[in-house]
Amino acid sequence: MSRTAEEPSVPGTVRPAFEVHLCGRLVTDAPISPRIPVALRYDPDADPRTVEVVLQHPGPGQKPGRHAWAFPRALLEAGLRSPAEQGDVRIWPCGRVQAVLELHAGYGVALVQLDCAPLVRFLRRTYAPSVT
């Protein structure tokens, strides 16, 4: 799945944008971690090397809303194997089957725990061949 070179563009082919919806757990000091909806987006027309994570969750003292972070797809891929960070995003493995996303924003920090399997499937789709 690792690719570092820019992907070749084949005339007459299109890789459609897509969004995957997951359910993560917000890491807090509460005895039970609340579930949080997470959307992963990929739009090769905008930037084929970038993915976006969107949380539907209010920050402390904030109204409910959508909070989004765009970052290199390679960061998500690297963070599934070992700790990786860039800017406001940090990702690291948590055991053998989960990963933690640490997402910084003006209202604070969100720690979201996700299963790795759907993250890997999402990444594989971003590398899928173009559709003619």
Side-chain angles (χ1 to χ4, degrees):
M1 189 172 7
S2 292
R3 288 188 196 176
T4 54
E6 189 171 325
E7 297 173 26
S9 176
V10 178
T13 62
V14 174
R15 293 215 342 240
F18 65 91
E19 185 171 290
V20 174
H21 296 271
L22 308 174
C23 187
R25 293 246 180 223
L26 195 59
V27 179
T28 68
D29 58 357
I32 297 176
S33 297
R35 292 183 181 272
I36 183 169
V38 178
L40 299 173
R41 293 184 179 157
Y42 177 69
D43 184 355
D45 290 335
D47 184 347
R49 294 172 303 263
T50 299
V51 296
E52 185 177 44
V53 173
V54 181
L55 302 182
Q56 292 262 131
H57 184 72
Q62 300 287 321
K63 293 181 181 178
R66 297 168 62 96
H67 306 282
W69 293 262
F71 53 90
R73 161 177 69 179
L75 179 68
L76 177 58
E77 191 173 348
L80 296 178
R81 293 186 306 272
S82 63
E85 68 177 278
Q86 182 175 330
D88 293 337
V89 178
R90 293 185 179 117
I91 305 166
W92 65 87
C94 180
R96 293 179 12 185
V97 297
Q98 294 186 321
V100 173
L101 276 64
E102 179 179 328
L103 306 165
H104 294 253
Y107 64 83
V109 178
L111 289 173
V112 180
Q113 192 171 20
L114 296 162
D115 289 336
C116 288
L119 296 175
V120 170
R121 284 192 299 271
F122 171 79
L123 283 168
R124 284 185 181 146
R125 265 185 86 183
T126 69
Y127 287 111
S130 301
V131 178
T132 56

